[in-house]
Coordinates of all heavy atoms in Angstrom, one line a residue:
T202 N 99.2 128.1 81.2 CA 100.3 129.1 81.1 C 101.4 128.7 80.2 O 102.5 129.3 80.2 CB 100.8 129.6 82.4 OG1 100.8 128.4 83.3 CG2 100.1 130.7 83.0
D203 N 101.3 127.6 79.5 CA 102.4 127.1 78.7 C 102.0 127.1 77.2 O 100.8 127.3 77.0 CB 102.8 125.7 79.2 CG 104.3 125.3 79.0 OD1 104.9 126.0 78.2 OD2 104.8 124.4 79.6
T204 N 103.0 126.9 76.4 CA 102.6 126.9 75.0 C 102.0 125.5 74.7 O 102.3 124.5 75.3 CB 103.8 127.1 74.0 OG1 104.8 126.2 74.6 CG2 104.3 128.5 74.1
S205 N 101.1 125.4 73.7 CA 100.4 124.2 73.4 C 101.4 123.1 72.9 O 102.1 123.3 72.0 CB 99.3 124.4 72.4 OG 98.7 123.2 72.0
E206 N 101.4 122.0 73.6 CA 102.3 120.9 73.2 C 101.5 119.7 72.6 O 101.9 119.1 71.7 CB 103.0 120.5 74.4 CG 104.0 119.4 74.2 CD 104.8 119.1 75.6 OE1 104.9 119.9 76.5 OE2 105.3 117.9 75.6
Y207 N 100.3 119.5 73.2 CA 99.5 118.4 72.7 C 98.1 118.8 72.2 O 97.3 118.1 71.8 CB 99.2 117.4 73.9 CG 100.3 117.1 74.8 CD1 100.4 117.6 76.1 CD2 101.3 116.2 74.4 CE1 101.4 117.3 76.9 CE2 102.3 115.9 75.2 CZ 102.4 116.4 76.5 OH 103.4 116.1 77.4
D208 N 97.9 120.2 72.2 CA 96.5 120.7 71.9 C 95.5 120.0 72.9 O 94.4 119.7 72.4 CB 96.2 120.5 70.5 CG 95.0 121.4 70.1 OD1 94.7 122.4 70.8 OD2 94.2 121.0 69.2
G209 N 95.9 119.9 74.1 CA 94.9 119.2 75.0 C 95.6 118.2 75.9 O 96.6 118.5 76.5
L210 N 95.1 117.0 75.9 CA 95.7 115.9 76.7 C 96.7 115.2 75.8 O 96.6 115.2 74.5 CB 94.6 114.8 77.0 CG 93.7 115.1 78.2 CD1 92.6 113.9 78.2 CD2 94.4 115.2 79.5
S211 N 97.8 114.7 76.4 CA 98.7 113.8 75.6 C 98.1 112.4 75.5 O 97.1 112.1 76.2 CB 100.0 113.7 76.4 OG 99.8 112.9 77.5
P212 N 98.6 111.6 74.6 CA 98.1 110.2 74.5 C 98.2 109.5 75.9 O 97.2 108.8 76.3 CB 99.0 109.5 73.5 CG 99.5 110.7 72.7 CD 99.6 111.8 73.5
F213 N 99.2 109.8 76.6 CA 99.3 109.2 78.0 C 98.3 109.8 78.9 O 97.6 109.1 79.7 CB 100.7 109.5 78.6 CG 100.9 109.1 80.0 CD1 100.9 107.7 80.3 CD2 101.1 110.0 81.0 CE1 101.1 107.3 81.6 CE2 101.3 109.6 82.3 CZ 101.3 108.2 82.7
G214 N 98.0 111.1 78.7 CA 96.9 111.8 79.5 C 95.6 111.1 79.4 O 94.8 111.0 80.3
F215 N 95.2 110.7 78.1 CA 94.0 110.0 77.9 C 93.9 108.7 78.8 O 92.9 108.4 79.4 CB 93.8 109.6 76.4 CG 93.3 110.8 75.6 CD1 94.2 111.5 74.9 CD2 92.0 111.1 75.5 CE1 93.8 112.6 74.1 CE2 91.5 112.2 74.8 CZ 92.4 112.9 74.1
Q216 N 95.1 108.0 78.9 CA 95.1 106.8 79.7 C 95.0 107.1 81.2 O 94.4 106.4 82.0 CB 96.4 106.0 79.5 CG 96.6 105.5 78.1 CD 98.0 104.9 77.9 OE1 98.5 104.2 78.8 NE2 98.6 105.1 76.7
V217 N 95.6 108.3 81.6 CA 95.5 108.7 83.0 C 94.1 109.0 83.4 O 93.6 108.5 84.5 CB 96.4 110.0 83.2 CG1 96.1 110.6 84.5 CG2 97.9 109.7 83.1
V218 N 93.3 109.7 82.5 CA 91.9 109.9 82.9 C 91.2 108.6 83.0 O 90.4 108.4 84.0 CB 91.3 110.8 81.8 CG1 89.8 111.0 81.9 CG2 91.9 112.3 81.8
E219 N 91.4 107.7 82.1 CA 90.7 106.4 82.2 C 91.0 105.7 83.4 O 90.1 105.1 84.1 CB 91.2 105.5 80.9 CG 90.3 104.4 80.7 CD 90.8 103.5 79.5 OE1 91.8 103.9 78.9 OE2 90.2 102.4 79.3
R220 N 92.3 105.6 83.9 CA 92.7 105.0 85.1 C 92.1 105.6 86.3 O 91.7 105.0 87.3 CB 94.3 104.9 85.2 CG 94.8 104.1 86.3 CD 94.4 102.6 86.1 NE 94.5 101.8 87.4 CZ 93.7 100.9 87.8 NH1 92.7 100.5 87.0 NH2 93.9 100.2 88.9
M221 N 92.1 107.0 86.3 CA 91.5 107.7 87.4 C 90.0 107.3 87.6 O 89.5 107.1 88.7 CB 91.7 109.2 87.3 CG 93.1 109.7 87.5 SD 93.4 111.4 87.1 CE 92.6 112.2 88.5
N222 N 89.3 107.2 86.4 CA 87.9 106.8 86.5 C 87.8 105.4 87.0 O 86.9 105.2 87.9 CB 87.3 106.8 85.0 CG 86.8 108.2 84.6 OD1 86.5 108.4 83.4 ND2 86.7 109.1 85.4
Q223 N 88.6 104.5 86.6 CA 88.5 103.1 87.1 C 88.8 103.0 88.6 O 88.2 102.2 89.3 CB 89.6 102.2 86.4 CG 89.2 101.9 84.9 CD 90.4 101.4 84.1 OE1 91.5 101.3 84.7 NE2 90.1 101.0 82.9
L224 N 89.7 103.9 89.1 CA 90.1 103.8 90.5 C 89.1 104.5 91.4 O 89.0 104.2 92.6 CB 91.5 104.4 90.7 CG 92.7 103.6 90.4 CD1 93.9 104.5 90.6 CD2 92.8 102.4 91.4
G225 N 88.4 105.6 90.9 CA 87.6 106.4 91.7 C 88.3 107.6 92.2 O 88.1 108.0 93.4
M226 N 89.2 108.1 91.4 CA 89.9 109.3 91.7 C 89.3 110.5 90.9 O 89.1 110.4 89.7 CB 91.4 109.2 91.4 CG 92.3 110.3 92.1 SD 94.0 110.2 91.5 CE 94.7 108.9 92.5

Side-chain angles (χ1 to χ4, degrees):
T202 34
D203 211 338
T204 49
S205 172
E206 182 176 338
Y207 316 107
D208 192 26
L210 285 174
S211 71
F213 177 67
F215 281 94
Q216 294 174 39
V217 167
V218 170
E219 195 184 354
R220 187 65 196 141
M221 289 173 74
N222 274 170
Q223 288 165 353
L224 277 174
M226 194 185 280

